Amino acid sequence: MNPIEVKNLCKSFGSLNVLHDVNLSVEEGEHIAIIGGSGCGKSVFLRSLELLEVPDSGQIFIDGEEITAKRADVNRIRRKMGMVYQKFYLFSHMNVLENLCIAPIKLLGMSKSDAEAKAMEWLTKVGLTSKVHSMPSVLSGGQQQRIAICRSLMMNPKVLLFDEPTSALDPTMVGEVLAMIRMLAKHSITMLVVTHEMKFAREFADRVLFFADGGIYEQGTPEKIFDAPEREKTIAFINRLKYFHFEITERNFDLLAMHGGIHDFADKYGIQSSLAYRLQLCSEELVYELLSGCYASSDSNIDINVNISYSESDSSTVMHFTSTGKRFNPFDESYGNEDIHMGIDILRKIAKNINYSFDVKNNIEVIL
């Protein structure tokens, strides 16, 4: 039995036909990213699954029960889904622990002690146990969104729905929320995420849905949608994002080839020379840091990947570095001598945001 089945779903607002004859089956444990231009119906589709937007016609089944049926117990069926919105909607008069415990106590009949124990389990997993008695007003946007996700998880949902969960966040906080969603993906939780973060969609999803023309215009694996889209509007949308990749497998790699590749990438897509220079500088500094920090001098199994994504629509640029070897964060201020790492200090100044995580490999994201 699939957690979600959608059959012939239609939704209009007056003369505006937003969704037309949408069909979708979501398998248990599947991770789906929903992408598309503004106003294409992504959020309306997600909200329709919980009947926050009431469809004009069609059927929606949640864990085998039709939520669109006339006599359906909508509130009970909704509890099988957790919804995370663009805004956090935490109760401002309650602290973190109270925000997490109120729903399972009131709606699931959970005891206060069991609810508090479960809340502490989730807060431990997301690194926010120190905020257990904090009020929402003193939390950062990223912390509030992580608490909002934990609140949904407290209800043991069959499915988690995310409606652009990072769109209301400062760029410096986006990474921590996306990292939490990646962590949840390891727990085989069924998730649908509406997102504008294309790099995240590529990494997170088992399947990507591209919405256009009132529904699912094209769908497939991330590789199919991002690397080999077949339909005209998907191609036009995806081609707004340009990618560069360079792999390093030996210590004495060809630095000039990497610089030349970045130069050609910038020249091909009209990237300003000042940005191209920063891309070259970041790549060189971080590759050498990873070589020295992740590998012993005798290591031969070197695997460092440099990935750059550039958006033609808003010129946003993201660099992503992965490295095997020893866990190492070159931006950790406690590491080494400041004089030796002057290049890292320069990178801190020119980058809008820098994120580091370790998940089998070292992962560094630099937003310019």
Side-chain angles (χ1 to χ4, degrees):
M1 181 186 301
N2 288 333
I4 295 179
E5 290 280 352
V6 179
K7 299 180 179 180
N8 309 116
L9 182 67
C10 297
K11 177 63 180 177
S12 298
F13 296 96
S15 61
L16 180 62
N17 190 1
V18 179
L19 298 174
H20 178 68
D21 203 26
V22 178
N23 293 275
L24 178 68
S25 294
V26 179
E27 296 182 2
E28 185 171 356
E30 190 173 15
H31 307 138
I32 292 180
I34 302 175
I35 65 173
S38 298
C40 67
K42 306 184 300 293
S43 293
V44 173
F45 173 73
L46 213 64
R47 289 171 61 83
S48 295
L49 297 180
E50 286 204 314
L51 296 195
L52 299 176
E53 300 289 355
V54 180
D56 299 326
S57 60
Q59 295 175 291
I60 299 171
F61 295 86
I62 306 300
D63 195 31
E65 294 189 83
E66 186 183 354
I67 194 171
T68 47
K70 288 184 177 180
R71 293 180 176 81
D73 187 342
V74 173
N75 288 330
R76 182 183 59 79
I77 298 174
R78 275 179 179 158
R79 293 173 199 161
K80 298 183 178 185
M81 295 177 282
M83 184 77 159
V84 180
Y85 304 91
Q86 297 176 21
K87 297 183 179 180
F88 322 121
Y89 297 118
L90 298 178
F91 295 116
S92 60
H93 63 290
M94 296 181 178
N95 65 27
V96 166
L97 186 62
E98 292 167 334
N99 263 281
L100 295 183
C101 292
I102 184 171
I105 290 174
K106 296 287 187 181
L107 300 177
L108 300 183
M110 192 179 294
S111 70
K112 182 179 179 181
S113 59
D114 286 347
E116 290 181 349
K118 186 177 182 67
M120 291 306 299
E121 288 180 10
W122 279 113
L123 290 174
T124 299
K125 288 178 181 179
V126 302
L128 289 175
T129 52
S130 63
K131 306 297 183 182
V132 63
H133 298 301
S134 298
M135 303 301 287
S137 59
V138 303
L139 303 178
S140 70
Q143 290 170 339
Q144 289 189 61
Q145 189 63 295
R146 283 188 282 164
I147 296 300
I149 296 171
C150 287
R151 181 179 57 186
S152 292
L153 292 164
M154 290 289 293
M155 297 294 289
N156 300 319
K158 293 280 187 180
V159 180
L160 276 179
L161 309 175
F162 296 85
D163 186 9
E164 298 186 28
T166 61
S167 64
L169 298 177
D170 183 278
T172 59
M173 301 173 188
V174 169
E176 64 188 74
V177 173
L178 297 183
M180 181 176 177
I181 298 174
R182 291 188 185 99
M183 180 270 288
L184 294 176
K186 298 176 184 177
H187 292 265
S188 300
I189 299 174
T190 306
M191 290 187 277
L192 281 74
V193 182
V194 171
T195 182
H196 288 293
E197 303 284 345
M198 296 300 106
K199 178 176 171 293
F200 165 75
R202 175 189 282 267
E203 295 174 349
F204 155 84
D206 301 311
R207 183 167 32 142
V208 177
L209 311 181
F210 175 67
F211 267 58
D213 293 350
I216 302 170
Y217 182 83
E218 187 170 354
Q219 61 179 300
T221 64
E223 293 76 18
K224 177 183 181 298
I225 296 299
F226 289 107
D227 297 332
E230 297 177 354
R231 302 191 65 188
E232 180 182 359
K233 291 186 178 181
T234 317
I235 293 169
F237 180 85
I238 295 301
N239 282 348
R240 292 162 55 193
L241 288 175
K242 308 301 180 183
Y243 296 96
F244 170 81
H245 173 78
F246 191 83
E247 185 174 7
I248 296 165
T249 57
E250 57 185 16
R251 190 173 299 277
N252 296 320
F253 73 100
D254 192 340
L255 175 63
L256 292 180
M258 184 176 74
H259 279 330
I262 293 173
H263 176 273
D264 292 342
F265 172 75
D267 186 59
K268 179 177 180 180
Y269 297 115
I271 298 174
Q272 292 183 349
S273 57
S274 58
L275 175 56
Y277 174 74
R278 292 198 295 274
L279 293 173
Q280 291 172 324
L281 173 65
C282 287
S283 297
E284 180 176 345
E285 290 292 339
L286 283 176
V287 165
Y288 281 119
E289 286 289 335
L290 291 172
L291 282 171
S292 63
C294 297
Y295 304 98
S297 59
S298 59
D299 284 346
S300 58
N301 296 322
I302 291 172
D303 183 12
I304 299 175
N305 285 273
V306 180
N307 295 283
I308 300 172
S309 63
Y310 172 76
S311 172
E312 290 185 327
S313 61
D314 60 5
S315 299
S316 60
T317 307
V318 178
M319 307 185 73
H320 186 228
F321 300 79
T322 63
S323 172
T324 56
K326 185 176 67 176
R327 182 170 184 163
F328 171 69
N329 179 6
F331 295 96
D332 186 344
E333 294 181 354
S334 66
Y335 173 82
N337 185 299
E338 289 185 0
D339 293 333
I340 297 175
H341 298 278
M342 186 179 298
I344 294 299
D345 289 334
I346 294 173
L347 294 190
R348 284 196 184 100
K349 293 177 181 178
I350 66 175
K352 294 179 181 177
N353 189 38
I354 297 170
N355 296 302
Y356 171 84
S357 64
F358 184 83
D359 179 13
V360 181
K361 294 183 178 182
N362 295 279
N363 295 275
I364 299 172
E365 183 182 77
V366 179
I367 302 174
L368 296 177

